Amino acid sequence: MDLSSPKKRRRQESEQNSVPSLGRKHTLSSMTLPGKEGLFVEKGCWSGNSIAVFTSGGDSQGMNAAVRAVVRMGIYVGCRVYFIREGYQGMVDGGVNIEEATWASVSGIMQKGGTTIGSARCRDFREREGRLKAALHLVEHEITNLVVIGGDGSLTGANLFRQEWSSLLEELVKNGRISQDIADRCQHLHIVGMVGSIDNDFCGTDMTIGTDSALHRIIEAVDAIRTTAQSHQRAFVLEVMGRHCGYLALVSALASGASWMFIPEAPPEAGWEEKMCHHLSQERNFGQRLNIIIVAEGAMDRDRKPISAEKVKNIIVERLSIDTRVTILGHVQRGGSPSAFDRILGTRMGAESVLALMEAKPETPACVISLDGNQAVRVPLMQCVEKTKSVQHAMQSLDFEEAVKQRGRSFVSNFQTYKTLRKLKPPTSACDTSGTHCQQPYNLAMMNVGAPAAGMNSVMRAFVRMAQTEGYIVLGIHDGFDGLVKGNVNPISWMEVHNWVGQGGSNLGTKRVTATQAGLDKVANQFKKFNIHGLLLIGGFEAYKSVLELAEKRETFPEFCIPMVAIPCTISNNVPGTDFSLGCDTSLNEITDICDRIKQSATGTKRRVFVVETMGGYCGYLATMSGLAGGADQAYIFEEKFGIKDLQEDVAHMTAKIEDGVQRGLVIRNEHANSNYTTDFIYQLFCEEGKGLFSCRKNVLGHMQQGGAPSPFDRNLGTKLATKAVVHLVKQIHENIRANGTVYTNEADTATLLGVVRRVSKFTPVQELAKETDFEHRIPKEEWWLKLRPLLRIMSKHESVYEMQGISVEDIEKDYDSDMG
């Protein structure tokens, strides 16, 4: 049996493991799906069904990616798919607002902000007469499956519509508007929702569509304002969206190092004006030239009186005489191109929503497609709505502590971390301001190892401040192990890391030299010289490998018998023990933005195909995910072998698309995908085969993928991981103090890698991870994102099979409040 072609393998897997074209009575419940690998859906397996998709309420970036995925996955499984334009209003009005979608009708919309099919508030739908009209217009097209993209109000309205569906059809039959035969064919309405909201105010999902993009807009504004504020020694008060939810304000304050913050869930205590002004004044006394204050639009005090940006500005001017300006970001936060995260999120949710609809039974409750770590899941719609309303109830009852708690442990953790990190100095009882005299007689050291990546400085800032809060001196090791051997080590002070959170690269310097390459005996001598009791390594594969090397040589060098933690920070995302490495989100956004500009450069010219090479070593994460986010036709990676027949098929596929009227094509290749089928080879192949039909251009992105300021995700994740690393190291130091006061441990669980597995932070012994590592190619043996490869091909109209994703709702409830939300 010839398995040389991945396409052949996929077809054979489809024949052996796919779900046949079953009726709904044979499908699984949308509440509980198997979380297994290898369950596939065949092309055309649900032909004869109709699906409609619409967007409702406020728009958010990423909605178009979700719409595109619904249309293309729906067509893939054999359904007729319809747009309902202008939301519920279009459903009530009918006519041209309900339009059948084609594959090409969603081409080129993924990179656009807002929603191309329109959204509108609809008073008519709130009344039964309006819902009766909407039911009639759906039945006219025999649409019994709805995908709703909107907020909790839109989803609640859809659930009410579903509950009334039978009675609405009965009334339409009674009034002679439809026949009994049509009513029988359309007797059950199935609803699946996706939450599109920049506020991230919906309980039941880690992130809502649009939140990440809104954070990008806010952080871009804060970074830009910071430069002008510093020039004139001004204070700036920024108002961000969040009438009932402070998520945007909280995360942007944490990611930007803002001086002060106001959110509706945690109103300040009485006398907050004096406290805030004292804090800002102290910042100026410490040499700061600017202050950034972030205010959520729904911020209020304990008496529910609004706290506006203008009010905060007036207090600062009157009490401190500081030149203060107000910037209200407003709808800028909703606009612009969606981030890579939101594009991928919308795509994955859209595909899963189609499968959830096709599997639904009459008794299946309406569900919401949510994100649980790196897993798309299905949860009951009204369960999520009720939990969301409980937060509002707590705030209305002035039970603000409960409101913060209801937002989840991640929200609470972010809030506490922000309050610690914004302080001007460590507690007097713990450390002095220089960081050289601390309560504990133990030193923690940190260094960067490997190539630079965004997020390194965010980790170090949080690590220094959290460690000094615990009373520990933090030693900064410059230039990795090379700098350690040369003695380039010094204590880091609290204020030294003040502005590091938003800076790219590594302020301590970093080199690819591992511990073994630097000389283990020399490293041991320096550990002893500088009296290092705990070590944090921040970097890529070299950092992980160095901790492993140190752990394996503990019997030879007792200096290595200390707690050690590696935090993965590399754009390649090739480190085992974690789903995401710091830096890869920033890099992915850079690649996606560049691909958008590359494709736009061909606007108005003849038809063109672009071949783009990404970094990543032997790991195809960047190529695959940027392919999903950029709408690529193919992404060649090392992990999925390909040959000349596959390349020929891809050329034929591209030719067919161009002949169908598509103007541009995008092919992405990981830098080490294949030693023979190089980027030049693929470029020349497409050039030759496309003669007379399309031209071809090649782009090698290079080191621009490593540059730039870290994304909000990388800043926030870096801060969280650093906080957990401090707690972990401090705990292990205290557990392993010997009678003579020295720290000694050779246990495997004291040399770990701190990663994110699904949605939970996890310390995994590096010696365990060694078994899961392909050291020759510097990648994990198992990579979770490979299951998204079929989705990439389906979205680009390749013949493929799709792997269903699912997880039980009990699992979601069990770890919903996990701290890595």
Side-chain angles (χ1 to χ4, degrees):
M1 184 180 293
D2 179 16
L3 295 179
S4 59
S5 166
K7 295 182 179 68
K8 287 184 180 179
R9 288 198 305 274
R10 280 189 287 269
R11 285 193 288 268
Q12 288 157 359
E13 288 169 336
S14 175
E15 293 168 2
Q16 296 167 9
N17 303 319
S18 63
V19 175
S21 299
L22 301 174
R24 284 194 174 122
K25 63 181 180 180
H26 295 297
T27 56
L28 298 168
S29 164
S30 64
M31 288 180 63
T32 306
L33 287 175
K36 300 178 180 179
E37 305 292 334
L39 182 60
F40 294 93
V41 177
E42 288 183 283
K43 184 176 182 181
C45 63
W46 279 298
S47 59
N49 289 287
S50 295
I51 298 173
V53 57
F54 67 99
T55 53
S56 176
D59 64 299
S60 62
Q61 308 96 319
M63 282 184 166
N64 288 326
V67 170
R68 171 180 177 267
V70 170
V71 170
R72 294 193 169 179
M73 179 55 80
I75 293 173
Y76 169 77
V77 298
C79 298
R80 298 182 71 175
V81 186
Y82 293 86
F83 295 136
I84 300 178
R85 298 189 180 276
E86 312 306 333
Y88 283 114
Q89 191 65 56
M91 195 186 302
V92 172
D93 295 341
V96 295
N97 291 303
I98 302 179
E99 172 193 347
E100 186 167 359
T102 65
W103 195 276
S105 62
V106 290
S107 179
I109 70 170
M110 188 164 56
Q111 66 269 26
K112 295 180 180 179
T115 165
T116 57
I117 61 174
S119 180
R121 313 281 182 183
C122 180
R123 292 186 177 181
D124 294 338
F125 194 80
R126 297 177 183 176
E127 306 298 329
R128 182 175 172 84
E129 184 60 32
R131 295 193 291 275
L132 192 66
K133 292 179 182 178
L136 174 63
H137 295 142
L138 293 183
V139 168
E140 287 174 347
H141 297 277
E142 295 194 20
I143 296 170
T144 57
N145 298 283
L146 283 181
V147 177
V148 188
I149 309 173
D152 60 337
S154 301
L155 299 179
T156 303
N159 190 61
L160 174 62
F161 190 41
R162 174 181 173 275
Q163 291 171 342
E164 290 184 343
W165 182 255
S166 296
S167 65
L168 293 172
L169 294 192
E170 287 176 7
E171 188 171 339
L172 290 172
V173 171
K174 182 179 179 181
N175 295 338
R177 307 291 299 275
I178 63 172
S179 68
Q180 185 62 51
D181 181 57
I182 292 177
D184 290 341
R185 292 203 304 269
C186 302
Q187 60 181 311
H188 300 295
L189 179 67
H190 301 282
I191 301 288
V192 170
M194 287 181 274
V195 188
S197 168
I198 68 169
D199 292 338
N200 203 33
D201 57 352
F202 192 80
C203 296
T205 184
D206 290 352
M207 289 285 275
T208 56
I209 297 172
T211 301
D212 188 66
S213 300
L215 285 171
H216 275 259
R217 299 294 96 79
I218 296 170
I219 294 302
E220 287 165 5
V222 172
D223 288 349
I225 283 172
R226 188 178 294 278
T227 58
T228 183
Q230 193 160 12
S231 299
H232 298 279
Q233 299 191 59
R234 286 176 176 151
F236 270 82
V237 184
L238 276 77
E239 182 185 287
V240 302
M241 285 187 168
R243 188 174 294 112
H244 303 295
C245 179
Y247 182 87
L248 290 179
L250 173 57
V251 175
S252 58
L254 190 63
S256 65
S259 303
W260 207 262
M261 171 200 70
F262 297 93
I263 58 175
E265 294 91 341
E269 300 284 352
W272 62 267
E273 300 92 340
E274 185 63 34
K275 292 177 183 177
M276 178 188 70
C277 289
H278 176 73
H279 181 87
L280 300 183
S281 177
Q282 287 292 101
E283 284 190 334
R284 295 298 173 120
N285 292 338
F286 274 98
Q288 261 189 249
R289 293 175 58 86
L290 75 154
N291 310 103
I292 301 290
I293 300 94
I294 294 180
V295 182
E297 62 177 333
M300 56 187 175
D301 62 20
R302 294 270 163 174
D303 297 322
R304 297 186 63 83
K305 295 179 181 178
I307 298 177
S308 66
E310 191 66 30
K311 179 178 181 178
V312 173
K313 171 206 164 185
N314 292 337
I315 290 170
I316 296 172
V317 171
E318 290 170 7
R319 301 195 182 192
L320 299 178
S321 299
I322 294 176
D323 185 9
T324 306
R325 307 297 169 92
V326 171
T327 298
I328 299 176
L329 296 183
H331 284 76
V332 167
Q333 297 158 85
R334 289 192 188 275
S337 184
S339 67
F341 180 91
D342 277 328
R343 299 185 196 193
I344 295 169
L345 178 64
T347 299
R348 296 177 66 186
M349 284 185 170
E352 187 68 18
S353 68
V354 171
L355 300 181
L357 283 172
M358 292 300 98
E359 290 185 328
K361 300 176 184 178
E363 66 273 15
T364 302
C367 73
V368 176
I369 306 302
S370 300
L371 182 69
D372 181 56
N374 63 22
Q375 180 81 49
V377 299
R378 308 171 192 178
V379 292
L381 187 155
M382 293 313 297
Q383 176 182 312
C384 297
V385 170
E386 290 305 316
K387 191 159 188 177
T388 301
K389 288 181 178 179
S390 69
V391 181
Q392 302 302 321
H393 177 74
M395 292 170 62
Q396 290 169 1
S397 304
L398 304 183
D399 189 351
F400 299 112
E401 185 176 340
E402 179 64 19
V404 172
K405 183 180 177 181
Q406 286 285 342
R407 289 290 183 207
R409 287 180 58 187
S410 178
F411 193 95
V412 174
S413 174
N414 283 339
F415 187 55
Q416 296 300 329
T417 301
Y418 170 74
K419 290 196 293 184
T420 299
L421 295 181
R422 81 175 179 190
K423 292 177 180 177
L424 300 172
K425 57 184 179 179
T428 306
S429 61
C431 275
D432 66 359
T433 54
S434 70
T436 56
H437 296 90
C438 294
Q439 177 190 22
Q440 299 291 340
Y442 303 106
N443 300 328
L444 298 178
M446 63 180 186
M447 71 167 81
N448 300 139
V449 183
M456 285 182 166
N457 290 322
S458 302
V459 173
M460 291 189 288
R461 169 182 176 267
F463 186 78
V464 168
R465 293 197 167 183
M466 296 304 293
Q468 291 184 3
T469 299
E470 295 292 330
Y472 285 77
I473 292 173
V474 178
L475 302 176
I477 302 173
H478 298 260
D479 300 324
F481 283 103
D482 193 35
L484 174 66
V485 169
K486 295 175 181 177
N488 198 355
V489 181
N490 63 273
I492 305 294
S493 71
W494 184 278
M495 290 304 294
E496 190 175 344
V497 297
H498 179 70
N499 290 319
W500 284 20
V501 66
Q503 296 177 9
S506 167
N507 288 347
L508 278 185
T510 181
K511 290 190 176 181
R512 294 180 181 271
V513 177
T514 65
T516 298
Q517 291 169 338
L520 292 174
D521 55 339
K522 297 177 183 177
V523 171
N525 289 336
Q526 296 299 80
F527 274 28
K528 185 175 182 179
K529 175 182 176 182
F530 290 103
N531 204 21
I532 295 173
H533 303 99
L535 178 65
L536 174 69
L537 283 80
I538 310 153
F541 201 87
E542 293 88 353
Y544 153 65
K545 190 177 179 183
S546 293
V547 173
L548 180 60
E549 291 169 351
L550 296 174
E552 289 178 339
K553 293 296 182 181
R554 279 174 160 175
E555 290 185 7
T556 307
F557 300 100
E559 292 83 1
F560 301 157
C561 293
I562 59 173
M564 297 179 285
V565 173
I567 291 180
C569 187
T570 169
I571 69 169
S572 301
N573 199 31
N574 64 331
V575 181
T578 188
D579 293 340
F580 302 101
S581 297
L582 286 170
C584 64
D585 182 71
T586 303
S587 181
L588 187 56
N589 278 286
E590 290 291 328
I591 297 169
T592 303
D593 289 344
I594 293 167
C595 287
D596 286 349
R597 291 196 290 271
I598 287 172
K599 289 191 291 184
Q600 190 179 42
S601 71
T603 302
T605 67
K606 61 182 180 179
R607 294 171 291 192
R608 182 164 291 168
V609 173
F610 295 94
V611 179
V612 175
E613 179 182 292
T614 66
M615 288 177 133
Y618 287 95
C619 180
Y621 177 84
L622 286 180
T624 297
M625 301 306 268
S626 61
L628 267 175
D633 296 279
Q634 181 58 286
Y636 298 111
I637 63 173
F638 170 78
E639 291 93 340
E640 188 176 276
K641 305 303 179 187
F642 59 95
I644 192 64
K645 290 183 179 179
D646 300 303
L647 292 170
Q648 288 173 333
E649 286 184 28
D650 292 337
V651 170
H653 161 75
M654 186 70 74
T655 301
K657 284 186 67 173
I658 297 292
E659 287 176 342
D660 259 355
V662 176
Q663 294 296 308
R664 294 178 295 278
L666 176 64
V667 174
I668 297 178
R669 178 187 176 274
N670 168 248
E671 59 182 340
H672 292 323
N674 188 291
S675 58
N676 294 312
Y677 302 126
T678 62
T679 302
D680 283 333
F681 178 92
I682 294 172
Y683 162 68
Q684 290 167 7
L685 176 66
F686 276 90
C687 281
E688 182 62 29
E689 298 300 321
K691 280 183 178 177
L693 183 61
F694 59 83
S695 60
C696 195
R697 295 291 185 272
K698 178 184 69 172
N699 300 85
V700 178
L701 302 186
H703 284 79
M704 68 176 70
Q705 297 163 79
Q706 290 181 329
S711 67
F713 178 88
D714 281 330
R715 299 185 194 194
N716 193 25
L717 180 59
T719 300
K720 285 183 176 182
L721 294 180
T723 301
K724 292 180 180 300
V726 170
V727 173
H728 183 77
L729 288 172
V730 167
K731 180 175 181 288
Q732 290 197 332
I733 286 173
H734 282 280
E735 288 176 349
N736 293 285
I737 297 174
R738 296 193 292 190
N740 61 2
T742 60
V743 176
Y744 183 92
T745 176
N746 58 5
E747 297 295 327
D749 63 358
T750 58
T752 58
L753 181 134
L754 172 56
V756 180
V757 180
R758 261 185 61 187
R759 69 200 303 252
V760 178
S761 57
K762 184 177 181 181
F763 291 89
T764 309
V766 290
Q767 288 166 302
E768 287 183 16
L769 291 176
K771 304 169 188 175
E772 305 171 13
T773 307
D774 176 356
F775 284 98
E776 179 184 356
H777 299 106
R778 294 160 56 92
I779 56 175
K781 292 179 181 178
E782 299 290 336
E783 296 171 299
W784 70 268
W785 50 266
L786 286 172
K787 67 186 177 186
L788 301 180
R789 296 280 300 172
L791 181 58
L792 168 64
R793 298 181 63 78
I794 287 172
M795 291 297 109
S796 60
K797 210 174 182 178
H798 275 278
E799 295 292 327
S800 188
V801 290
Y802 180 69
E803 179 181 340
M804 294 171 58
Q805 299 180 53
I807 187 170
S808 69
V809 84
E810 289 80 9
D811 286 343
I812 303 165
E813 292 171 341
K814 183 172 63 177
D815 63 7
Y816 172 74
D817 283 331
S818 169
D819 56 358
M820 286 307 297

